[in-house]
């Protein structure tokens, strides 16, 4: 009944007025469902000492700390921009040492990806009341000619974890540059070299990437817009954890606000529309969402 009512209210003849607004126009967008395999975890010094003497370890959950975004125009392809994103995750894991109670491990994982989207080139130089002389660099004016990239991400699901001796680790492991602002979020120093064993995790992540430009629009609004195009990437060969992750539906509702009235009368965990917070776990997969 409510769906019929919403459809009726969105008919053009029911619109009372059209409003001219200045807003961010979405020039292009995509959504992605990344299965990030064998992602190295940089443990804290105390956690690394525990792992080096542990019998086994199991990842508990992952939290997205920050996403660094860089936008550059694509050479020889007008109107298109390359979006490079680096994600920083806090990883929590449990290690078993000589039959004792599990000890908690803390660490950092880093993942980078790229997407190419259309940004609709603009030659206009935009000034506002906030523009100051300090914004001028010689004769070059700092303008908003490039579009703005926006990335919406849910905290990843932990799909699998494994511990390897350093001699068994993949040869493609490379040292990453960890910003001081990220490393300062941990209680002690992160270990990046000279360890005996390493922890690797496989994460499943949902994201939406879009490019926006300032625009003046005369437009009615009806509902949330959801990208249908997949992001441009090279996922490679999928293994068992990724095959399981590919069967999980994209959580559309978690990217958009909903009224808490929709939760009334529903008590099933899957009916939660945001009125409750906490860690939503999947008992069958060991996956964990942190809200």
């Amino acid at each position: 009944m409510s769906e019929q009512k919403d459809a009726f209210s969105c008919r053009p003849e029911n619109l009372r007025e059209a409003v001219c607004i200045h807003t961010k126009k979405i020039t292009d967008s995509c959504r992605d469902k990344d299965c990030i395999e064998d992602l190295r975890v940089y443990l804290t010094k105390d956690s690394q000492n525990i792992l080096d003497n542990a019998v086994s370890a199991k990842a508990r959950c992952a939290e997205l700390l920050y996403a660094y975004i860089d936008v550059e125009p694509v050479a020889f392809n007008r109107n298109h921009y390359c979006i490079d994103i680096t994600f920083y995750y806090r990883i929590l894991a449990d290690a078993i040492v000589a039959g004792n109670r599990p000890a908690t491990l803390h660490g950092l994982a880093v993942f980078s990806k790229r997407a190419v989207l259309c940004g609709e080139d603009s030659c206009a130089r935009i000034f506002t009341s906030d523009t100051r002389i300090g914004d001028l660099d010689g004769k070059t004016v700092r303008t908003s000619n490039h579009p703005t990239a926006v990335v919406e991400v849910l905290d990843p699901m932990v799909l699998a974890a494994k511990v390897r001796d350093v001699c068994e680790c993949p040869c493609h492991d490379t040292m990453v540059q960890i910003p001081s602002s990220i490393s300062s979020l941990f209680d002690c120093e992160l270990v990046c070299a000279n360890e005996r064993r390493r922890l690797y995790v496989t994460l499943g992540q949902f994201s939406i990437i879009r490019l926006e430009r300032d625009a003046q629009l005369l437009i009615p609004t009806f509902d949330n817009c959801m990208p249908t195009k997949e992001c441009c990437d090279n996922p490679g060969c999928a293994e068992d954890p990724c095959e399981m992750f590919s069967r999980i539906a994209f959580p559309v509702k978690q990217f958009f606000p909903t009224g808490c009235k929709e939760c009334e009368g529903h008590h099933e965990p899957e009916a939660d529309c945001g009125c409750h917070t906490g860690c939503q776990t999947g008992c069958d997969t060991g996956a964990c969402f942190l809200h």
Side-chain angles (χ1 to χ4, degrees):
M1 189 57 143
S2 60
E3 293 181 358
Q4 294 178 355
K5 182 179 179 181
D6 292 340
F8 177 79
S9 62
C10 291
R11 292 177 180 176
E13 59 268 24
N14 294 321
L15 295 175
R16 296 186 178 181
E17 63 175 343
V19 179
C20 183
I21 62 172
H22 180 96
T23 186
K24 292 285 188 180
K25 175 187 175 184
I26 299 177
T27 61
D28 199 5
S29 62
C30 64
R31 66 183 187 185
D32 226 348
K33 187 178 177 181
D34 292 303
C35 184
I36 313 164
E37 300 180 79
D38 293 342
L39 192 62
R40 180 180 172 183
V41 179
Y42 299 91
L43 296 174
T44 61
K45 187 175 181 179
D46 293 341
S47 297
Q48 186 63 56
N49 291 334
I50 296 174
L51 181 66
D52 287 341
N53 298 284
V55 177
S56 62
K58 179 180 179 181
R60 187 191 308 171
C61 54
E63 175 191 9
L64 178 62
L65 295 175
Y66 184 72
Y68 173 79
I69 308 170
D70 184 56
V71 181
E72 292 293 338
V74 178
F76 310 111
N77 196 347
R78 185 179 177 184
N79 293 341
H80 285 76
Y81 290 82
C82 182
I83 306 169
D84 291 303
I85 312 165
T86 302
F87 300 96
Y88 298 92
Y89 311 99
R90 184 197 304 273
I91 306 295
L92 294 183
D94 295 318
I96 305 297
V97 181
N100 295 326
R101 295 182 60 183
T104 301
L105 304 180
H106 302 265
L108 173 74
V110 182
F111 169 62
S112 297
K113 67 173 297 178
R114 171 176 292 182
V116 177
L117 295 175
C118 178
E120 296 183 0
D121 280 346
S122 172
C123 295
R125 295 187 176 185
I126 302 173
F127 296 86
T128 68
S129 59
D130 295 330
T131 303
R132 301 167 305 200
I133 295 297
D135 295 329
L136 307 180
D137 181 12
K139 294 183 179 180
T140 302
V141 182
R142 297 180 184 177
T143 64
S144 55
N145 192 27
H146 285 189
T148 301
V150 178
V151 179
E152 295 187 49
V153 192
L154 298 180
D155 281 334
M157 304 169 61
V158 177
L159 303 176
K162 61 182 69 173
V163 177
R164 291 173 174 167
D165 292 333
V166 171
C167 60
E168 300 175 349
C169 292
C171 59
H172 62 263
D173 275 357
T174 57
M175 182 70 65
V176 298
Q177 296 293 330
I178 302 175
S180 58
S181 57
I182 297 296
S183 58
S184 64
L185 298 176
F186 294 85
D187 293 336
C188 59
E189 179 185 359
L190 295 172
V191 177
C192 299
N194 300 323
E195 71 272 41
R196 289 170 46 196
R197 310 178 78 185
R198 292 176 182 173
L199 175 66
Y200 292 84
V201 294
T202 296
L203 303 180
Q205 177 177 267
F206 297 99
S207 61
I208 291 178
I209 305 172
R210 64 177 183 265
L211 285 180
E212 300 178 343
R213 277 194 182 279
D214 285 345
Q216 295 77 41
L217 302 175
L218 184 66
I219 185 172
T221 60
F222 294 105
D223 202 352
N224 296 316
C225 57
M226 189 68 197
T228 57
K229 184 178 70 175
E230 299 292 335
C231 291
C232 176
D233 63 354
N234 183 18
C237 299
E239 296 184 359
D240 290 342
C242 292
E243 292 178 359
M244 176 196 67
F245 181 62
S246 67
R247 296 191 295 268
I248 300 177
F250 197 95
V252 176
K253 292 185 178 180
Q254 296 197 38
F255 282 94
F256 301 104
T258 57
C260 287
K261 292 183 179 179
E262 295 180 14
C263 288
E264 295 178 359
H266 297 278
H267 302 286
E268 299 84 356
E270 60 271 19
D272 183 16
C273 65
C275 298
H276 307 284
T277 59
C279 184
Q280 177 184 350
T281 60
C283 299
D284 296 333
T285 64
C288 179
F289 268 123
L290 293 180
H291 298 291

